[in-house]
Amino acid sequence: AQKITQTQPGMFVQEKEAVTLDCTYDTSDQSYGLFWYKQPSSGEMIFLIYQGSYDEQNATEGRYSLNFQKARKSANLVISASQLGDSAMYFCAMRDRAAGNKLTFGGGTRVLVKP
Amino acid sequence: DTAVSQTPKYLVTQMGNDKSIKCEQNLGHDTMYWYKQDSKKFLKIMFSYNNKELIINETVPNRFSPKSPDKAHLNLHINSLELGDSAVYFCASSQEVDGYTFGSGTRLTVV
């Protein structure tokens, strides 16, 4: 079974600084996909970034980048130039192709951006 | 035009009641899901349907019954509600190349 671990339950970051959110995963699949979602206090789940296991380059989407280290089974999210609106819960997730393509989520990291 | 819409957004009900949550997606996705987010924010899959066929049923009490009348709709019916059912329920849909799109969630409070 797949497992996603986010070891940082919460963290503070100064506005305009970068922050790295850790995510490690465990899977026996050769082909898999990793996702990051943001959940602000309003509750919706907002897709941020995706990394495929065979992608040779790290994914980037605006201020979001994914530091994918396949051998270490880690997929850390880097948010550059933090803004107050980045304060939210962040979830790492993995697609389980063998189980109906369900997403398995980590426990989340709460980020609070300080002005 | 909302991609994945679920109703109601909030649901407060007494123990023992039966309630339903509806979900519709207009993305043309083949697969739809129900996830439960508990009070500690942990998200866990409950059910998945692909083209109206049940694919995943994850150790959910049989008081929970999903129904998919067509591939654009996946409803969740809950019988005999218990206090522990209080949570946020998310509907989602997916297609391989598109990724996953979540609804805005339904906050269920059982009193």
Side-chain angles (χ1 to χ4, degrees):
Chain A
Q2 296 185 340
K3 187 177 179 181
I4 298 284
T5 303
Q6 295 180 250
T7 57
Q8 307 150 309
M11 53 198 310
F12 290 98
V13 58
Q14 200 67 40
E15 193 178 10
K16 299 180 185 177
E17 290 185 351
V19 61
T20 297
L21 308 184
D22 295 340
C23 173
T24 57
Y25 59 90
D26 189 19
T27 181
S28 56
D29 294 342
Q30 297 300 310
S31 174
Y32 50 88
L34 294 154
F35 299 77
W36 277 92
Y37 283 85
K38 172 184 178 181
Q39 187 178 40
S41 58
S42 52
E44 70 269 31
M45 295 289 289
I46 302 169
F47 166 74
L48 295 179
I49 197 166
Y50 167 78
Q51 180 83 43
S53 57
Y54 290 120
D55 294 342
E56 294 186 352
Q57 292 195 332
N58 287 341
T60 61
E61 289 285 350
R63 293 187 299 112
Y64 304 106
S65 60
L66 204 151
N67 183 0
F68 182 46
Q69 298 188 44
K70 195 170 180 177
R72 297 180 62 182
K73 294 189 174 179
S74 74
N76 298 338
L77 177 71
V78 180
I79 307 174
S80 62
S82 295
Q83 302 172 356
L84 296 178
D86 294 334
S87 295
M89 282 287 288
Y90 289 83
F91 293 96
C92 181
M94 171 182 280
R95 172 167 43 214
D96 189 341
R97 292 184 190 277
N101 279 328
K102 71 175 183 180
L103 278 180
T104 299
F105 285 88
T109 297
R110 184 176 295 279
V111 173
L112 186 59
V113 180
K114 299 187 292 183
Chain B
D1 205 13
T2 306
V4 180
S5 60
Q6 50 182 114
T7 54
K9 190 168 176 61
Y10 300 96
L11 187 53
V12 181
T13 187
Q14 290 188 325
M15 279 174 48
N17 284 351
D18 303 339
K19 289 294 178 185
S20 292
I21 307 172
K22 295 186 176 182
C23 180
E24 176 182 3
Q25 55 99 358
N26 62 7
L27 298 166
H29 288 171
D30 288 332
T31 309
M32 296 185 71
Y33 311 82
W34 279 109
Y35 283 85
K36 178 180 180 180
Q37 186 173 41
D38 63 23
S39 58
K40 295 185 178 179
K41 299 294 187 181
F42 187 69
L43 279 149
K44 189 169 167 31
I45 184 78
M46 299 175 69
F47 300 103
S48 167
Y49 271 74
N50 184 275
N51 265 319
K52 303 192 298 177
E53 181 184 346
L54 180 66
I55 301 296
I56 299 172
N57 183 344
E58 290 263 326
T59 59
V60 176
N62 56 16
R63 297 182 296 105
F64 290 79
S65 54
K67 283 187 174 51
S68 181
D70 54 61
K71 78 171 195 177
H73 295 84
L74 179 61
N75 304 321
L76 183 65
H77 188 76
I78 315 170
N79 288 327
S80 304
L81 278 154
E82 301 177 357
L83 294 176
D85 298 332
S86 295
V88 179
Y89 293 84
F90 284 98
C91 177
S93 71
S94 77
Q95 194 82 356
E96 184 73 23
V97 295
D98 291 341
Y100 300 78
T101 304
F102 283 80
S104 57
T106 295
R107 182 176 294 278
L108 171 65
T109 304
V110 183
V111 298

